[in-house]
């Protein structure tokens, strides 16, 4: 593990695989410019909600529960999911899910990501920020927020064998959202022992154990 982290550090100037956002469909699609993936807030492309460019794929994202499917090219990531219904220049990001750490390469799909119900009918952005051995990396999707929960599991929604997830804390990621935190629509469980507020339905499915003071290089 340590060897591969050091390796990814050493190769950080190369355009080796960082991560991809497979669902909702990312703004950069399947041609991510990995050399710009460390550019806030979204990587190589910054979405404009005013844009009517027909080349941009706009997915529906269900406020009561939808999927975020990722593919990781690093053995470990801390993930922040955030969203906004304002132009990103306004910087008003809402945290959509507790920060968690993925261990293991490959696919990871969180199944019950919720957003504020007040976003129904609005166009917005779902942003994913990953913190790993070679910095803080960004991808975004332009979405239309719709009511209900998504009953169609995207075919990209899988967990690779051996991939695990645990809540963690990450000050670098926490700094990338405002005070606004999605509280979830199903319950308000607080898991003090985990050191995180469980903010949304579905997180109960994640292991309760937490890696405290995780070493991130
Ligand atoms: C930030 O976003 C939240 C959630 O959409 C909204 O309630 C709040 O009014 C926004 N704040 C500002 C300053 O735009
Ligand atoms: C993938 O793993 C996470 C963390 O254990 C879990 O919450 C999620 O439901 C899993 N996704 C699928 C598609 O099984
Ligand atoms: C969850 O929190 C909200 C806002 O504080 C509150 O209105 C609601 O009644 C709570 N739900 C439960 C199940 O405690
Ligand atoms: Cu990388």
């Amino acid at each position: 593990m340590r060897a591969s982290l050091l390796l990814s550090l050493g190769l950080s100037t190369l355009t080796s695989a960082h991560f991809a956002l497979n669902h909702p469909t990312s703004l950069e699609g399947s041609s991510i410019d990995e050399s710009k993936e460390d550019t806030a807030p979204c990587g190589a492309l910054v979405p404009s909600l005013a844009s009517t460019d027909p080349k941009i794929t706009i997915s529906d994202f269900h406020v009561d529960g939808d999927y975020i499917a990722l593919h990781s090219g690093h053995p470990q990531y801390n993930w922040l999911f955030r969203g906004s219904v304002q132009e990103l220049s306004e910087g008003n990001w809402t945290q959509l899910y507790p920060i968690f750490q993925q261990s293991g390469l490959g696919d990871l799909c969180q199944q019950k990501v919720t957003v504020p119900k007040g976003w129904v009918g609005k166009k917005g952005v779902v942003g994913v920020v990953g913190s790993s051995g070679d910095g803080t990396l960004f991808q975004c999707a332009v979405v239309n927020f719709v009511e209900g929960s998504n009953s169609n599991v995207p075919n990209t929604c899988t967990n690779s064998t051996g991939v695990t997830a645990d809540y963690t804390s990450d000050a670098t990621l926490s700094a990338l959202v405002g005070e606004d935190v999605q509280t979830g629509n199903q319950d308000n469980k607080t898991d003090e022992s985990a050191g995180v507020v469980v903010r949304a339905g579905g997180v109960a499915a994640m292991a309760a154990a937490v890696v405290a003071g995780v070493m991130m290089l």
Side-chain angles (χ1 to χ4, degrees), residues 67 97 100-101 107-112 153 156-160 163-166 202-207:
Y67 303 90
Y97 205 83
F100 66 96
Q101 180 171 84
D107 296 324
L108 182 138
C109 179
Q110 281 305 2
Q111 307 196 66
K112 288 183 184 164
V153 185
T156 50
C157 183
T158 58
N159 285 346
S160 293
V163 165
T164 58
D166 287 297
V203 291
M206 288 177 64

Side-chain angles (χ1 to χ4, degrees), residues 89-216:
S89 54
E90 297 178 45
N92 187 16
W93 288 103
T94 297
Q95 185 172 344
L96 302 182
Y97 205 83
I99 292 168
F100 66 96
Q101 180 171 84
Q102 171 179 355
S103 296
L105 285 168
D107 296 324
L108 182 138
C109 179
Q110 281 305 2
Q111 307 196 66
K112 288 183 184 164
V113 180
T114 60
V115 305
K117 282 184 185 290
W119 289 7
V120 170
K122 295 183 177 173
K123 187 179 179 185
V125 174
V126 170
V128 175
V129 190
S131 172
S132 186
D134 59 0
T136 306
L137 305 167
F138 301 85
Q139 286 289 289
C140 291
V142 181
V143 300
N144 287 318
F145 291 109
V146 297
E147 65 183 359
S149 53
N150 190 353
S151 52
N152 297 314
V153 185
N155 58 16
T156 50
C157 183
T158 58
N159 285 346
S160 293
T161 305
V163 165
T164 58
D166 287 297
Y167 298 128
T168 189
S169 57
D170 185 313
T172 304
L173 294 181
S174 301
L176 298 174
V177 285
E179 296 299 301
D180 207 40
V181 173
Q182 161 62 1
T183 53
N185 301 311
Q186 293 165 24
D187 53 33
N188 298 339
K189 270 185 264 149
T190 307
D191 188 344
E192 301 291 352
S193 65
V196 295
V197 179
V198 178
R199 293 171 179 115
V203 291
M206 288 177 64
V210 151
V211 182
V214 160
M215 200 191 72
M216 285 304 296

Side-chain angles (χ1 to χ4, degrees), residues 69-100:
L70 304 167
H71 181 85
S72 164
H74 291 215
Q76 188 171 288
Y77 261 107
N78 285 358
W79 295 115
L80 168 68
F81 297 165
R82 57 185 188 166
S84 183
V85 288
Q86 293 164 251
E87 293 293 353
L88 300 188
S89 54
E90 297 178 45
N92 187 16
W93 288 103
T94 297
Q95 185 172 344
L96 302 182
Y97 205 83
I99 292 168
F100 66 96

